[in-house]
């Protein structure tokens, strides 16, 4: 989404780190972020903001009403900035608010989203049998993934190793109970998250907030739901869930073959 800085201090980008800190009663000392007063008061609505970037994890955000005022002027200036009445939020409150925003789906839009999730889950369920029926992945005592090659390798069995080409979908934290899309996980190498933006594009085309919001409260079922959508969008042949430090990494398997065929 088109965006410009709402506040001189973000535009200037010259302030020291200390100037970008804010003390929050809930989160302690955190990074300063800027949102319109409507999002600050009620985050459960669509957020108009850029996607997080490695050098800008909390882009300025505003609500739909403010976005009309923004588009009218094509920028934030003295004619429309009163509408937004920019508020400072700590980055923890920003993350919490944005995470809650997915809850605005209701009525027919919610029904359409749930139907889409159901369709993708059924499709993935029918695909998953390939892992056991055709490739018996359970007979491999070990697996390793290599982000640089975007490969998941099953090995240690009497039969040739299995090589899967994968795309990481996201991570499910069983500590914070959150889902984080791989497109916003800048600690992952590019080869395992080079295709996932196509899933976000489906979210943009259909106004599916769960595909657009970088991180939201979730359980393992949500992880599989998002992975089933990614498998469908990316034309995957199956999906895989691997344990990680704080939960699980979900991946789409794009291709699967024995090492002897590689
Ligand atoms: Zn607003
Ligand atoms: Zn806070």
């Amino acid at each position: 989404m088109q965006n410009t800085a709402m506040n001189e201090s973000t535009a200037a980008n010259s302030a020291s780190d200390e100037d970008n800190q804010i003390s929050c009663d809930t989160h302690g000392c955190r990074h300063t972020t800027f949102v319109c007063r409507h999002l600050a008061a009620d985050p459960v609505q669509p957020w108009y903001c850029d996607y997080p970037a490695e050098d800008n994890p909390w882009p300025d955000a505003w609500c739909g009403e403010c976005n009309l005022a923004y588009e009218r002027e094509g920028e934030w200036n003295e004619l429309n900035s009163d509408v937004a009445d920019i508020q400072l939020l700590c980055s923890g409150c920003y993350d919490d608010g944005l995470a809650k925003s997915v809850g605005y789906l209701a009525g027919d839009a919610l029904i359409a989203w749930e139907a889409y999730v159901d369709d993708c889950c059924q499709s993935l369920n029918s695909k998953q049998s390939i892992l056991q029926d055709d490739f018996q992945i359970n007979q491999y005592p070990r697996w390793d993934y290599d982000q640089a090659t975007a490969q998941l390798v099953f090995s240690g069995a009497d039969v040739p190793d299995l090589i899967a080409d994968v795309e990481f979908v996201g991570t499910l934290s069983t500590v914070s109970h959150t889902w984080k899309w791989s497109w916003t996980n800048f600690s992952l190498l590019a080869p395992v998250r080079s295709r996932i933006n196509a899933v976000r594009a489906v979210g943009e085309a259909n106004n599916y907030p769960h595909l657009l919001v970088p991180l939201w409260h979730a359980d393992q079922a949500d992880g599989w739901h998002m992975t089933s959508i990614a498998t469908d969008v990316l034309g995957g042949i199956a999906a895989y869930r691997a344990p990680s430090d704080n939960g699980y990494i979900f991946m789409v398997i794009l291709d699967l073959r024995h090492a002897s065929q590689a």
Side-chain angles (χ1 to χ4, degrees):
M1 230 158 278
Q2 193 66 29
N3 203 338
T4 59
M6 298 173 86
N7 184 290
E8 288 298 320
S9 69
T10 53
N13 218 10
S14 57
S16 71
D17 276 354
E18 280 173 26
D19 292 336
N20 294 330
Q21 302 292 314
I22 186 173
S23 180
C24 170
D25 290 344
T26 307
H27 299 100
C29 189
R30 290 291 187 97
H31 205 279
T32 306
T33 74
F34 301 94
V35 303
C36 77
R37 69 182 163 92
H38 314 101
L39 291 185
D42 176 16
V44 188
Q45 56 178 315
W47 284 42
Y48 289 77
C49 56
D50 283 342
Y51 295 114
E54 202 163 4
D55 60 356
N56 187 17
W58 304 283
D60 298 346
W62 51 83
C63 72
E65 183 190 334
C66 287
N67 197 53
L68 291 176
Y70 174 78
E71 289 187 336
R72 196 178 62 226
E73 295 295 321
E75 61 176 352
W76 289 113
N77 58 33
E78 67 276 9
L79 295 174
N80 60 5
S81 55
D82 283 357
V83 178
D85 187 16
I86 298 149
Q87 312 277 308
L88 261 61
L89 280 189
C90 104
S91 52
C93 290
Y94 181 107
D95 288 340
D96 286 352
L98 182 54
K100 284 180 190 159
S101 73
V102 298
Y104 80 77
L105 265 191
D108 288 347
L110 180 59
I111 291 168
W113 162 246
E114 289 176 344
Y116 178 58
V117 171
D118 277 353
D119 281 353
C120 291
C121 284
Q122 284 183 26
S123 172
L124 178 59
N125 284 342
S126 64
K127 287 177 175 175
Q128 285 297 72
S129 59
I130 190 175
L131 297 179
Q132 278 316 317
D133 296 351
D134 297 359
F135 288 97
Q136 287 106 41
I137 61 165
N138 279 357
Q139 69 182 315
Y140 292 92
R142 60 173 293 167
W143 54 263
D144 303 274
Y145 60 76
D146 180 356
Q147 293 190 34
T149 59
Q151 286 184 338
L152 173 67
V153 178
F154 298 90
S155 59
D158 294 335
V159 287
D161 291 355
L162 261 187
I163 299 175
D165 294 322
V166 295
E167 175 83 355
F168 285 13
V169 182
T171 47
L172 190 280
S173 169
T174 50
V175 178
S176 60
H177 305 285
T178 49
W179 170 258
K180 182 177 189 175
W181 285 102
S182 62
W183 49 256
T184 195
N185 193 339
F186 304 111
S187 65
L188 299 175
L189 297 186
V192 294
R193 53 186 187 91
S194 62
R195 307 165 183 86
I196 196 68
N197 283 5
V199 178
R200 203 170 67 185
V202 169
E204 289 173 359
N206 297 280
N207 284 322
Y208 292 149
H210 295 84
L211 305 188
L212 302 174
V213 172
L215 179 142
W216 39 275
H217 296 286
D219 57 22
Q220 289 202 54
D222 292 309
W224 279 115
H225 292 169
M226 297 310 106
T227 303
S228 72
I229 291 170
T231 306
D232 186 69
V233 172
L234 301 180
I237 59 169
Y240 194 74
R241 185 194 68 176
S244 68
D245 289 346
N246 294 322
Y248 299 96
I249 297 174
F250 287 79
M251 18 188 132
V252 171
I253 296 178
L254 300 162
D255 185 51
L256 189 61
R257 61 197 176 275
H258 285 109
S260 54
Q261 304 165 331

